[in-house]
């Protein structure tokens, strides 16, 4: 059994959560799922946590579902990517992914579920599912067309070819590429920025952007009005003005 499949560091105003099965490129087994769910729940319950940095130990970010786990189980285990992606999207503060190396299968889509995705220049993203006869999950079929458009989404999902970090940035799959040695520092700077920021307003902004995926303009304008009223009652607004 892995000692600590997920590492958590408490920083001033934010947490660093590291997927920690480097010998398996941080592929998700059951223990890692459980530990990550607990780490996210603890971060959410901690009122002083105002951002979260998600990264991987070693040379990969995550290779998705642990396929040896799957074989050992002799059945189709529930990946757990579904609750994980829901939780990442719903956290009431920004989540920054620092993709330090290859992100494959569900590992790629967990990264794409984060609010801001930074990637090391040497990193890559691969929708590996088609290579083993599976369907992109953990939100892949939802995120891809929205991020890169229908044509690229289809090719990525059907061909399962890797996309290098620089291409991912050019296509809008991710926010930014960083030199490998600068990645974590850049992600930390973003989290420090968010830790000093208007957390409630940022959480409401996340909610508005997510709702915009299904709302028509009228519904979205109504929602913006309601959320703006809520944001306008915060001390952050008073201070900002
Ligand atoms: O099960 C369900 O419920 C369905 C849900 C599925 C969700 C999914 O995520 S499906 C997709 C699963 N992931 C993959 O198919 C990716 C498999 N891995 C790869 O294609 C390659 O490893 C990479 C492209 C990610 C990286 O290649 P490379 O050459 O840099 O590294 P490597 O040598 O292939 O891997 C290094 C080690 O990690 C190696 O172990 P070893 O030989 O050194 O002992 C390899 O077996 C291990 N590893 C890599 N990916 C996985 C893994 N072990 C378990 N599960 C993995 N997914």
């Amino acid at each position: 059994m892995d000692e600590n499949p997920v590492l958590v560091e408490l920083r001033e105003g934010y947490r660093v959560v590291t997927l920690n099965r480097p010998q398996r490129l941080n592929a998700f087994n059951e223990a890692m799922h459980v530990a990550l769910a607990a780490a996210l729940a603890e971060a959410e319950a901690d009122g002083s946590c105002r951002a979260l940095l998600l990264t991987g130990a070693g040379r990969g970010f995550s290779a998705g579902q642990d396929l040896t786990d799957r074989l050992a189980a002799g059945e189709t285990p529930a990946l757990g990517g579904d609750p994980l992606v829901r939780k990442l999207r719903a956290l009431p503060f920004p989540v920054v992914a620092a993709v330090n190396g290859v992100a494959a299968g569900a590992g790629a889509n967990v990264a794409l579920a984060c609010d801001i995705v930074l990637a090391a220049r040497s990193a890559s993203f691969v929708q590996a599912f088609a290579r083993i006869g599976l369907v992109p999950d953990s939100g892949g079929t939802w995120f891809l067309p929205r991020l890169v458009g229908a044509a690229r989404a289809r090719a990525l999902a059907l061909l399962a070819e890797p996309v290098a970090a620089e291409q991912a940035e050019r296509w809008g799959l991710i926010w930014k590429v960083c030199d490998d040695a600068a990645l974590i520092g850049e992600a930390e700077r973003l989290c420090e920025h968010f830790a000093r920021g208007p957390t409630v307003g940022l959480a409401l902004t996340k909610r508005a952007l997510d709702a915009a995926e299904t709302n028509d303009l009228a519904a979205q304008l109504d929602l913006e009005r309601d959320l703006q009223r809520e944001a306008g009652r915060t001390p952050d607004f008073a201070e900002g003005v």
Side-chain angles (χ1 to χ4, degrees):
M1 202 174 117
D2 300 299
E3 194 81 349
N4 283 309
V6 168
L7 305 175
V8 178
E9 288 172 63
L10 307 189
R11 303 281 180 85
E12 191 69 39
Y14 72 99
R15 291 180 176 217
V16 179
V17 174
T18 304
L19 307 175
N20 187 40
R21 302 186 68 230
Q23 71 287 0
R24 294 265 164 230
L25 296 180
N26 305 317
F28 278 85
N29 64 0
E30 186 63 24
M32 198 163 98
H33 273 299
V34 170
L36 183 56
L40 299 184
E42 282 162 21
E44 186 175 16
D46 172 4
S48 70
C49 182
R50 306 176 76 180
L52 190 140
L53 193 170
L54 181 64
T55 191
R59 72 177 178 88
F61 176 77
S62 171
Q65 174 65 27
D66 187 314
L67 298 172
T68 59
D69 219 33
R70 184 191 166 94
L71 290 175
E75 57 187 27
T76 305
L79 169 62
D82 172 354
L84 170 58
V85 166
R86 286 173 201 257
K87 173 58 85 182
L88 281 170
R89 296 295 281 192
L91 283 173
F93 44 71
V95 181
V96 176
V99 179
N100 51 300
V102 65
N109 295 333
V110 164
L112 299 182
C114 296
D115 296 303
I116 296 195
V117 186
L118 302 178
R121 207 168 293 285
S122 65
S124 59
F125 297 80
V126 51
Q127 296 291 322
F129 307 89
R131 294 181 182 175
I132 53 172
L134 291 180
V135 176
D137 67 6
S138 302
T141 57
W142 194 88
F143 293 122
L144 288 174
R146 285 169 170 80
L147 291 169
V148 299
R152 286 169 176 158
R154 279 183 187 253
L156 291 176
L158 299 177
L159 295 173
E161 286 181 2
V163 179
E166 287 178 353
Q167 179 79 301
E169 182 194 280
R170 279 195 294 275
W171 283 0
L173 187 67
I174 64 167
W175 169 237
K176 207 194 265 187
V177 170
C178 305
D179 289 337
D180 288 23
L183 175 72
I184 291 297
E186 183 80 8
E188 288 171 341
R189 266 188 296 285
L190 279 180
C191 287
E192 286 158 11
H193 167 83
F194 287 132
R196 293 189 299 271
T199 307
V200 173
L202 296 176
L204 296 175
T205 302
K206 286 177 57 163
R207 214 199 294 169
L209 289 169
D210 280 342
E213 300 294 347
T214 48
N215 276 347
D216 62 20
L217 177 60
Q220 191 66 14
L221 288 169
D222 287 348
L223 178 68
E224 287 177 356
R225 179 200 58 216
D226 294 346
L227 296 180
Q228 199 69 294
R229 283 185 185 144
E230 207 174 322
R233 288 194 291 270
T234 61
D236 286 326
F237 173 63
E239 187 191 323
V241 171

